[in-house]
Amino acid sequence: MADGVATVSPDGKSMTNPLRAGLQTDRISDPCSVVFFGASGDLFKRMLLPAMYMLRVSGILPNDFAIVGFSRTEYTDDQFRDYCKEQLDIFAPDDAKPQGAVWEDFAKRLSYIGADFDDHNCYAKLAQRLRDNDEHLGTKGNRLFYLSTPPSLFPVIIDHLREADLNPHEGQAGWARIIVEKPFGTDLESARALQTTVDRVFPESAVYRIDHYLGKEPVQDIMALRFANTIFEPVWNRNYVDSVQITAAEQIGVELRGGYYDNAGALRDMIQNHVMNLLALVAMEPPASRDADAIRAEKAKVLSAIMPPDIGDVWEMSARGQYGPGTIDGKAVPGYRQEPDVNPQSNTDTYAAVKLFIDNWRWAGVPFYLRSGKRLAKKTSEIAVTFKPIPHRIYGETTDTIEPNVLVMKIQPEEGVTMRFSAKVPGPKSHIRSVFMDFNYGTGFGVQSPPAYERLIGDAMRGDQTLFTRWDAVERAWEIVMPVLQVWLNTKDFTFPNYAAGSQGPESATKLFPGWRTL
Ligand code: BG6
């Protein structure tokens, strides 16, 4: 067996894969306290707590760490520990259920403050708790604050942190950083207002705006594919690329988040942040290094080259949809307007598609199509780069269609890269058919990708901002979607619902771009 080739033993169970040797985990060196605002909420129990516990189990957390929950529900420290154990029993992966010495050590580092977010006494209590952690748990004055409350509370919490002297300031013993969950604002104006508050209290170097898509391994691999290979960059431009389509399709509906979603919609919930980040990674210029700011500057630069659509062009450049009742995996499911906490006459988009152009030398004239929707036929997130047709056909004797090359970066549920190219069908005639070259992370590297939150919380604890969105990029992403948002909000769509749950999406999206890949 040649070096570097993956092997699977004949029983199909154990794997020997030399590529795994490269998958090292870095231990975080700084001790610290992590404060979760909104610790009795859904995100904490499903994602954040399991991510912290996995970081512990895999030996990535420093020995001296502490977790403080800060939320409205009243718990004593012991009740909070019991609550965390129950949630980990449900949501932690099977090989990281809370038990034994690891859990006991983890539990003793958990504490809780039942709080009124408006009451400065609660923040004074938090400051005292953090000092206690420094003294008894060795956290050395380092603090990471995680805002996972409803966004309306972000400014309140941030201002109180400053009043309680918990923000970065002269003479403090350690560092203070803040992770801000999405959505960062609900439109351009509110995003700017939030940024003004953040800016008063935390310098940009201490702000970690989370976009969990950036924590997904295949998303990080977009840069590796482009900048750790020589063969893609020469063709990665308007001379060879015909169009780029970016899809973030979901099968799930709004579930129990109707209250939030009905005021958001797909454009704000997915396109402005997750999909725009994918666009930036696929279209940016090569950064000079892997330094966080070198990368983030390139991402902001390419977004600044995207011209927001003119108000008058919005209908030509976009398509919106809302799902009606339909069938998913053979099961009847309700329409959006029948979901809990959704207005029965709602005008909210559960599907959004936009066509954008990047006005620079590399991409002038190449359309970038972005789409995202709920209750579609399949869960798929991917970026497909379609190359131009061949310039001259020598296979004139056959009528076979020669399809253009397509490179697909598959983000989920499959994780990998696929290249479509043409090949000759064996036989005396020159028949041409499309074939595929496939790379799959699971088999290629022999490990599961770590969940995004684990990676991102770990990076914030290390002080690495690479996978977090800088303010200039967030602001530009809002500027790009604002004309579409304004027109959509001001125009009632009388055709809603205009796609059935479980379908490919609305007809209007096919009119916008007939070349969407089938879900
Ligand atoms: C969140 C959105 O940011 O991303 C949700 O608010 C959406 O509406 C989710 O379901 C999708 O994330 P993923 O990782 O399942 O693609």
Side-chain angles (χ1 to χ4, degrees), residues 364-380:
V366 178
F368 282 71
Y369 296 100
L370 321 181
R371 67 173 163 169
S372 179
K374 291 200 183 283
R375 285 288 191 226
L376 293 169
K378 216 170 92 191
K379 178 179 171 75
T380 307

Side-chain angles (χ1 to χ4, degrees), residues 113-189:
I113 296 175
D116 173 352
F117 288 97
D118 283 316
D119 179 358
H120 75 269
N121 290 320
C122 298
Y123 297 84
K125 207 164 149 193
L126 172 63
Q128 183 56 48
R129 177 70 50 83
L130 294 173
R131 284 193 291 273
D132 291 347
N133 285 348
D134 293 342
E135 196 176 324
H136 304 298
L137 297 173
T139 47
K140 299 244 164 55
N142 296 324
R143 285 99 212 250
L144 176 62
F145 301 107
Y146 196 124
L147 302 188
S148 65
T149 58
S152 57
L153 290 170
F154 294 174
V156 179
I157 298 169
I158 292 170
D159 279 333
H160 278 296
L161 287 175
R162 184 179 53 165
E163 267 175 45
D165 258 354
L166 287 171
N167 59 323
H169 59 273
E170 292 264 314
Q172 76 186 126
W175 46 255
R177 300 179 188 138
I178 190 162
I179 300 182
V180 187
E181 253 303 328
K182 76 173 265 277
F184 197 93
T186 51
D187 57 17
L188 180 59
E189 199 186 332

Side-chain angles (χ1 to χ4, degrees), residues 481-492:
V481 300
M482 274 320 287
V484 181
L485 185 62
Q486 272 165 7
V487 172
W488 285 9
L489 287 178
N490 290 330
T491 324
K492 174 107 183 139

